[in-house]
């Protein structure tokens, strides 16, 4: 069955350091892929999406993600994190005509 | 400004009580969705509606009911049959029906008294 996996439950990064959040998917073709961010007690905000074409996609808040078909991955990156980036991050995918499937999320903590 | 409004922000349910969570959108979106979020888990789909007067069960529909009488509104009722209702509930909408570009409300936290 199609699935989205976020292997890291919790990541801690120093302010100003680079960030990479991992996302893997299981699917025989290329899915639509998304990254969402959720602040505590709030809804989800779309950071970026990949449908096709250029495998490096730019999003809001200085985030980018790279689609790698050979690794079935769609990792989220940011060159320098800010304290305001502390939140929960969800990777999600649409596989064919199926429903949007979410990963279990990665909680990001920023230390000064 | 366009957006999705969920109310109330916090809701408490007594044993045997049905409660209704409100979701209204003024984005003119066709599709609307209800998700349940529990700590440490991803979002699980409860119900979705791609057109007025029609809706489909998601992965965890038992103990919940919905209606879609207007394009702007998609209320969720948590019935007494839902034995573990404590969770954060998120409503979303999208311009089309292809599960892309979901726009989320700010959520309702439901707790049991």
């Amino acid at each position: 069955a199609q699935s989205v996996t976020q292997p890291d439950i919790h990541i801690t990064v120093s302010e100003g350091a680079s960030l990479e959040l991992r996302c893997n998917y299981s699917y025989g073709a290329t899915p639509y892929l998304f990254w969402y961010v959720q602040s505590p007690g709030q809804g989800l905000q779309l950071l970026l999406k990949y449908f096709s074409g250029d495998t490096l996609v730019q999003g809001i808040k200085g985030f980018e993600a790279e689609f790698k078909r050979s690794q079935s991955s769609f990792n989220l990156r940011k060159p320098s994190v800010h304290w305001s980036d502390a939140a929960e991050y969800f990777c999600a995918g649409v596989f064919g005509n199926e429903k949007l499937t979410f990963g279990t999320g990665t909680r990001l903590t920023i230390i000064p | 400004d366009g957006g999705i409004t969920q109310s109330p922000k916090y809701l408490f349910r007594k044993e045997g009580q049905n409660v209704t969570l409100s979701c209204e959108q003024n984005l003119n979106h066709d599709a609307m969705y209800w998700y349940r979020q529990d700590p440490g888990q991803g979002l699980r789909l409860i119900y979705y509606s791609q057109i007025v007067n029609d809706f489909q069960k998601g992965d965890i529909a038992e103990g919940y009911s919905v209606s879609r009488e207007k394009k702007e509104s998609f209320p969720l009722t948590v019935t007494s049959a839902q034995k573990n209702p404590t969770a954060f509930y998120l409503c979303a909408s999208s311009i089309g029906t292809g599960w892309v570009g979901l726009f989320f409300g700010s959520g309702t936290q439901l707790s049991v008294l």
Side-chain angles (χ1 to χ4, degrees):
Chain A
Q2 299 93 342
S3 65
V4 174
T5 302
Q6 294 180 249
D8 303 306
I9 296 173
H10 183 206
I11 283 184
T12 300
V13 176
S14 297
E15 190 168 14
S18 63
L19 171 71
E20 182 167 29
L21 301 181
R22 296 185 291 166
C23 173
N24 295 98
Y25 66 88
S26 174
Y27 185 52
T30 299
Y32 296 159
L33 294 164
F34 309 84
W35 274 101
Y36 286 87
V37 61
Q38 183 182 33
S39 297
Q42 297 299 315
L44 276 68
Q45 182 181 21
L46 180 65
L47 285 175
L48 46 79
K49 58 181 182 265
Y50 174 77
F51 291 165
S52 65
D54 193 345
T55 57
L56 185 64
V57 294
Q58 302 297 320
I60 62 171
K61 303 178 186 246
F63 286 93
E64 66 178 26
E66 185 171 13
F67 172 69
K68 292 186 177 180
R69 186 191 310 274
S70 61
Q71 299 178 21
S72 297
S73 68
F74 188 58
N75 294 349
L76 182 71
R77 302 194 296 242
K78 187 170 186 178
S80 176
V81 298
H82 185 262
W83 63 267
S84 60
D85 293 324
E88 184 117 26
Y89 292 80
F90 292 93
C91 183
V94 175
F95 305 100
N97 293 322
E98 298 299 315
K99 301 182 289 292
L100 184 64
T101 299
F102 285 88
T104 52
T106 298
R107 183 161 60 93
L108 176 64
T109 297
I110 308 294
I111 56 177
Chain B
D1 287 337
I4 297 182
T5 302
Q6 288 189 242
S7 62
K9 182 66 175 175
Y10 301 96
L11 186 58
F12 297 91
R13 194 191 88 168
K14 297 179 181 179
E15 280 300 320
Q17 186 181 42
N18 293 352
V19 293
T20 297
L21 284 61
S22 171
C23 179
E24 303 276 335
Q25 55 101 356
N26 60 3
L27 299 165
N28 199 32
H29 283 176
D30 298 304
M32 297 187 74
Y33 315 82
W34 275 106
Y35 287 90
R36 171 177 171 144
Q37 185 177 24
D38 296 278
Q41 301 189 37
L43 277 67
R44 293 183 289 168
L45 181 67
I46 306 172
Y47 269 99
Y48 64 101
S49 168
Q50 296 182 319
I51 193 170
V52 174
N53 292 322
D54 187 47
F55 48 83
Q56 307 295 326
K57 292 182 179 180
D59 302 317
I60 56 165
E62 186 174 349
Y64 300 97
S65 66
V66 293
S67 63
R68 185 89 186 276
E69 297 176 0
K70 299 186 299 181
K71 188 175 184 178
E72 308 79 39
S73 178
F74 191 40
L76 173 74
T77 296
V78 183
T79 75
S80 57
Q82 173 49 247
K83 298 306 180 187
N84 183 24
T86 297
F88 192 57
Y89 291 86
L90 286 160
C91 179
S93 68
S94 64
I95 194 166
T97 58
W99 297 91
V100 297
L102 266 64
F103 188 90
F104 283 83
S106 57
T108 293
Q109 175 65 50
L110 175 62
S111 303
V112 176
L113 288 177

